[in-house]
Amino acid sequence: MAAKTERTFIAVKPDGVQRGLMGEIIKRFEQKGFRLVAMKFLQASEDLLKQHYIDLKDRPFYPGLVKYMSSGPVLAMVWEGLNVVKTGRVMLGETNPADSKPGTIRGDFCIEVGRNIIHGSDSVDSANKEISLWFKPEELVCFKSCALDWIYE
Ligand code: DAT
Ligand code: MG
């Protein structure tokens, strides 16, 4: 049961929001069978985004990345399920959309690495860090999905 409660942080970036792709992205995670735990639509502050991407602070694209991510609202979400971190990354595709296969979100909806429309945690550790950075504990919603017994053996 514990494995099924793994959680990941997914965010639709400002370009995904502006391009009207929020519903499509929510749909993919929902239809896959993952459970929504939290969601909020917000204009993230530069401080929050700097912290979110702190591991990349020495990369040349870091200032541009923070500027792009703060250029408009983002849709921040927490999704839960068996291996959701790894499977979520597979659903996203590669960091560079040019390397992403058709059928993945980045493979289907974007072209350049600096406008790759979606974020997903890359490990369980970073997922936990990102979830606590973006959400208060009381914003995470616990409920038993009635579909659970039809999704898991
Ligand atoms: P990911 O978002 O796939 O986890 P990452 O954590 O390495 O990739 O980088 C975070 C974001 O930074 C990525 O989604 C887009 C941007 N980025 C990464 N590499 C880049 C590059 N070489 N040039 C411009 N932007 C880059
Ligand atoms: Mg990353």
Side-chain angles (χ1 to χ4, degrees), residues 52-53 56 89 95 106 119-122 126 130:
H52 174 77
Y53 281 125
L56 300 172
R89 292 286 296 193
T95 300
R106 286 168 174 166
H119 168 83
S121 309
D122 63 6
S126 53
E130 290 167 3

Side-chain angles (χ1 to χ4, degrees), residues 11-153:
V12 183
K13 297 179 177 182
D15 46 347
V17 172
Q18 293 287 355
R19 294 180 52 207
L21 295 169
M22 289 188 289
E24 172 66 32
I25 288 166
I26 294 165
K27 188 184 85 173
R28 288 186 179 210
F29 279 84
E30 193 176 36
Q31 288 188 338
K32 174 74 176 167
F34 292 133
R35 185 177 78 77
L36 184 65
V37 174
M39 174 185 282
K40 62 178 152 187
F41 185 56
L42 75 159
Q43 170 70 57
S45 68
E46 278 200 25
D47 279 354
L48 172 61
L49 293 164
K50 280 183 183 160
Q51 195 55 39
H52 174 77
Y53 281 125
I54 195 72
D55 293 348
L56 300 172
K57 67 177 188 316
D58 297 325
R59 306 294 293 272
F61 56 82
Y62 179 73
L65 175 63
V66 170
K67 191 165 172 241
Y68 148 62
M69 288 295 291
S70 59
S71 66
V74 298
L75 181 69
M77 296 177 277
V78 177
W79 287 90
E80 182 178 273
L82 182 64
N83 293 328
V84 69
V85 171
K86 186 163 175 279
T87 302
R89 292 286 296 193
V90 174
M91 290 165 66
L92 261 60
E94 301 300 318
T95 300
N96 189 339
D99 302 326
S100 301
K101 294 202 170 68
T104 65
I105 293 166
R106 286 168 174 166
D108 286 348
F109 300 117
C110 52
I111 294 172
E112 284 202 307
V113 68
R115 294 291 181 273
N116 65 3
I117 75 163
I118 184 165
H119 168 83
S121 309
D122 63 6
S123 68
V124 172
D125 254 16
S126 53
N128 290 335
K129 273 188 216 149
E130 290 167 3
I131 291 166
S132 60
L133 182 65
W134 287 80
F135 289 93
K136 298 179 196 134
E138 62 269 28
E139 291 175 324
L140 306 175
V141 179
C142 286
F143 74 103
K144 187 183 181 297
S145 161
C146 65
L148 219 63
D149 294 338
W150 299 101
I151 293 169
Y152 297 102
E153 289 186 60

